[in-house]
Amino acid sequence: MKIFTLLCLFFSIQMAHAQHGQLSGSIKDSIAHSPIPFASVALIDDSGGISDGMIADSVGNFHFSKLKKGRYHVLIKFIGYNQKKIFVDIDGKGPVRLTDIILSSTNNRLAEVKITGAVGTQKHTGDRQTYQASQYKNAIGGTALDIVKNLPAASVDVNGNISMRGDAGVIVLINGKPSFLDPVTILNQIAANDVAEVEYITSPTAQFDPDGKGGIINLKTKKNTADGLAWTVNLQGGLPSIDNYDNHDSQKRFGADISFQFKKNKLELNGSANYLRNDNAGFREGDVYTIIGDKQTFFPSKGERSFDKYNYGARLNAAYEITKEHQVNLGILASRKFQDRLADIYYTNQTIQPSTGKQISSIDYFNSNLQNKQGAFYLIDFSYQYKINEDHALQLGAIYEYADIYGSTKNANIEEDKDTIQKTINNYANPLHGLRLSVQHSWKLQDGVLLSGYQLRNDRQKGNFMYFAREKGSNTDELIPEFTGQLNANNTVHAFFSQYDRKLQRTQFSLGLRYEYYQRDVLLVNKGKEYPYSVHQLYPNFNLVHDLGKGWLWKLAAARRVQRNNNFELNPIPEREHSETLEQGDPKLLPEFTTNLETGLVKKIGGGNIFLNTYYQHTKNPIQRVNSVYADTILNRVFTNADYASRWGMEMGGEGKLLPWLKLNVGFNLYDYKISGQVLMDPETRTNNDWVYSLNAGIQADFSKDCSTGLQVNYLSEKPTVQGKDSRFITPHFNLSKGFLKGIIKAQLQWQFIELGNWGVNEQRITTSSNDFFTTTNYIYEKNVFLINLNFNFHKLNQLLKLPKSEFGEKEF
């Protein structure tokens, strides 16, 4: 009886709901029959009152739901067109679809309209935070990495590793498209001047890969919004180094980039090319000891650690609307990256017997270490969209990627500045092939959208690693089998997902579920050993944003994510990185599985906003890079899984104007981090726990329309690791900009890594220890770097010159 009553109640509700009508239509121009976007649509009842209203979307469509029975008239208005009124009857029996509503243009023409306003530099929605790239003036002339490091939740350490909310696992997208490459490599391939917006997606929905426990960074490149051609050129040059720490070579810093956007009727093109040479002087000092039995060896060191590096590339994207229903997109990326890291280090070795304090031996020597990494990267991206009808759309996509990655490490141990007692060289080639395929279907429902699809991801690498050594008195290089081998790695992911997005009057939410089957095959060819791994996993997600009124928004999100092991972490073939260190991976590493929860408030204030987010994260199998003793003067640096890590914290920040001419952007992140687990063969569980915080803040003063100055500071506090801690890291930057010829030319002076005194700017100490070793190294990089940028906007030049053009001829043509 209870079930019958519930069924009756359910059908009563459905019948009552069915009595509400729906009304939709499309607005078009009377001559071109092209859609009129963003027209105003009002629904007026018989009494003359406004029952509902909305703005048409970007293709002129509008849709009303939950309409009561009755007679209405629809009033459509748009600037430059005659308004139109249409009468319609809603009977509640089914949806009403109006034929195309045609608007005719008026004879009135506006001579000129000047609009003055400020675009908000930050925007917050349910699953992401969006930042305008133009607010970070210190990134001009650099790469997208220089923009990302300024985001409120971001921090970049001395080695260039990116972390978001303290997590190093980050995925980078370019215009929503993924890559198989690591985030730093991708971000260094895109010129900062080519980036319009940066989205930080903290809780990605089911359509995105669940990789990256720290979330997703999506770069949106610049596009033309109106028909025509626009292009800009940027030049950069660096002044001589103030202090190069007596490095072997002088530093070179120069670059250029050019970008264009073209739009004509149904075709849209945008592209860019860039070259950047950005050397860095540096110095390192370290203190290390090892204990093997009753023998303790100390080998403190100091010397040069500098970088010579450059990258260049080109990017082209094309979109073409074949018909209203069919559209194709094609993207191509080609780039090259080169880096030499020179470490000329002086060692002072001493070995003692701890039980007696007696010195066993002592020796001084010099180690010259040159590590080269380089690669050529190619990517082609194709997608096709088919709009089946007003409610259904289909999208197909394919991305192919090839990376030719190779390099070497050369070591020479020299005694008394003349006798080479050992010389080694590591050569490797590790090309990558990657393929992604996707198909997804979009279904517009009442007040919502259901997105479902399938994605295939596969990447393959065949690495060849060779190690040669030449001892004192020998004239030949001998192959060392222990450090030589071939590694084949194959990763495949099959994914099915479904995601429902719903928009109510003041609330938007998204609910999704993703199923993945992941298979990993690692083969150590020279030893004939296979290391297979496969797993089935579900990744749910939920996002909600609610308008509380008076400029307040509340956000709530939850998601499960994964951090898969890259092939570098899985490679068990040891590499002699330099005299005191071997590097080695583990083919048995497990992926990290992470659960994220967060909630937050956003308050709009004038042209800006402030926000506060709190979050919690729990990770199983966190990957750690740890040290162990390989020999008396060599540490073995390996990857391993700890048991778990947890992080809970808060981030707050905002942006806005303190004065009409003074703008501020600030972001502060504070979290408690705990990591626990057994390390290598240690019998006891190690636990490390501490508070970590970071600060990204900038202030920009606009003295006039063409003159501004700014200061940006990035700070990262000490951070615990499973074996020790990384020290704090600070980088302040100053910029001064001046425009000429009504903004056609912009000149900027950048003062990077400001240090007036001894603040420890642009340096970081990394410390680890166990019962049989201790190591601490301070990495010090160049300070007080000066750069000059010149930007030329040729689109504005054409507008200023007002070049003659055909008026009547073009019109008749």
Side-chain angles (χ1 to χ4, degrees), residues 125-143:
T125 54
D127 65 338
R128 68 193 66 191
Q129 304 163 20
T130 304
Y131 303 91
Q132 297 294 318
S134 58
Q135 68 179 304
Y136 303 117
K137 303 289 186 182
N138 62 299
I140 291 176
T143 67

Side-chain angles (χ1 to χ4, degrees), residues 638-666:
V638 299
F639 291 96
T640 188
N641 290 113
D643 293 336
Y644 76 91
S646 63
R647 178 184 285 105
W648 63 274
M650 55 161 281
E651 62 179 0
M652 58 187 300
E655 54 90 19
K657 287 188 175 183
L658 301 177
L659 296 170
W661 52 273
L662 191 63
K663 292 184 288 187
L664 175 71
N665 66 81
V666 62

